[in-house]
């Protein structure tokens, strides 16, 4: 069954919606963006997140030191790296106990990456729809992101066959997380995939 990551949580209501819908991962964005949260906000939200749902921190070209500080504060379980992410940096994060998602654009995916997960995105949370084409088997779980919505996630999953699908703005109404859309996205991601 495809797992689901709901990213860009900013409010207590977002966390409540993710808990109620039983998402598999929750994402807090620490990089500059519309969804950016501070460490203090992430810690407050994390305290209300179902402890069975791993929290993912989204970073763009952040230092290993700062990522580890966020992890050691208790805000995240997994680091999602956009931009740079050298093998040495990934190894340092993993040695400290963090799992790592390394993000690539589709044409630039690095099958030699030692990250725990590989994400294919259309580009740094742009919300643009990815070119859905089958991706050759990878050693790590594949995360599909990029313009997913409740109405297209089933089709995207059938074509690409990812292990995890990731959504942020695709489950929003007027730039606010919409519990109805979150529920529909998770239902369609899990139920429409032909195994």
């Amino acid at each position: 069954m495809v797992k689901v990551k709901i990213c860009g949580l900013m409010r207590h209501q977002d966390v409540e919606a993710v808990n109620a819908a039983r998402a598999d991962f929750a994402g807090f964005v620490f990089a500059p963006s519309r969804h950016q949260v501070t460490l203090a906000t992430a810690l407050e939200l994390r305290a209300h997140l179902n402890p069975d749902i791993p929290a993912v921190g989204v970073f763009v070209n952040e230092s290993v030191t700062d990522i580890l500080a966020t992890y050691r504060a208790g805000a995240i379980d997994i680091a999602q790296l956009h931009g740079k992410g050298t093998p040495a940096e990934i190894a340092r994060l993993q040695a400290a106990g963090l799992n790592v998602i390394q993000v690539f654009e589709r044409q630039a995916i690095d099958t030699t990456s030692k990250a725990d997960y590989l994400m294919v995105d259309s580009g740094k949370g742009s919300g643009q729809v990815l070119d859905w084409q089958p991706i050759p088997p990878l050693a790590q779980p594949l995360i599909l992101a990029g313009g997913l919505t409740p109405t297209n996630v089933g089709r995207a999953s059938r074509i690409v066959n990812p292990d995890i699908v990731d959504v942020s703005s695709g489950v929003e109404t007027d730039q606010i997380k919409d519990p109805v859309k979150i529920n529909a996205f998770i239902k369609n991601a899990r139920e429409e995939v032909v195994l």
Side-chain angles (χ1 to χ4, degrees), residues 99-133:
N99 283 336
V100 176
I101 299 169
Q102 190 166 19
V103 184
F104 299 96
E105 292 188 18
R106 193 186 187 289
Q107 67 275 14
I109 192 162
D110 180 3
T111 57
T112 69
S113 171
K114 301 299 184 188
D116 300 282
Y117 304 85
L118 300 184
M119 176 184 284
V120 178
D121 193 357
S122 51
K124 291 185 186 171
S126 65
Q128 295 175 339
V129 176
L130 184 73
D131 175 21
W132 296 330
Q133 295 297 327

Side-chain angles (χ1 to χ4, degrees), residues 107-182:
Q107 67 275 14
I109 192 162
D110 180 3
T111 57
T112 69
S113 171
K114 301 299 184 188
D116 300 282
Y117 304 85
L118 300 184
M119 176 184 284
V120 178
D121 193 357
S122 51
K124 291 185 186 171
S126 65
Q128 295 175 339
V129 176
L130 184 73
D131 175 21
W132 296 330
Q133 295 297 327
I135 292 171
L138 302 167
Q140 301 96 320
L142 172 65
I143 304 173
L144 177 65
L148 296 176
T149 67
T151 56
N152 69 20
V153 66
R155 179 167 172 265
S157 294
R158 284 194 297 274
I159 294 170
V160 182
N161 195 30
D163 299 281
I164 303 165
V165 289
D166 182 358
V167 67
S168 183
S169 58
V171 290
E172 293 179 352
T173 299
D174 297 327
Q175 298 192 338
I176 298 292
K177 291 288 184 288
D178 185 329
V180 173
K181 289 183 179 179
I182 289 173

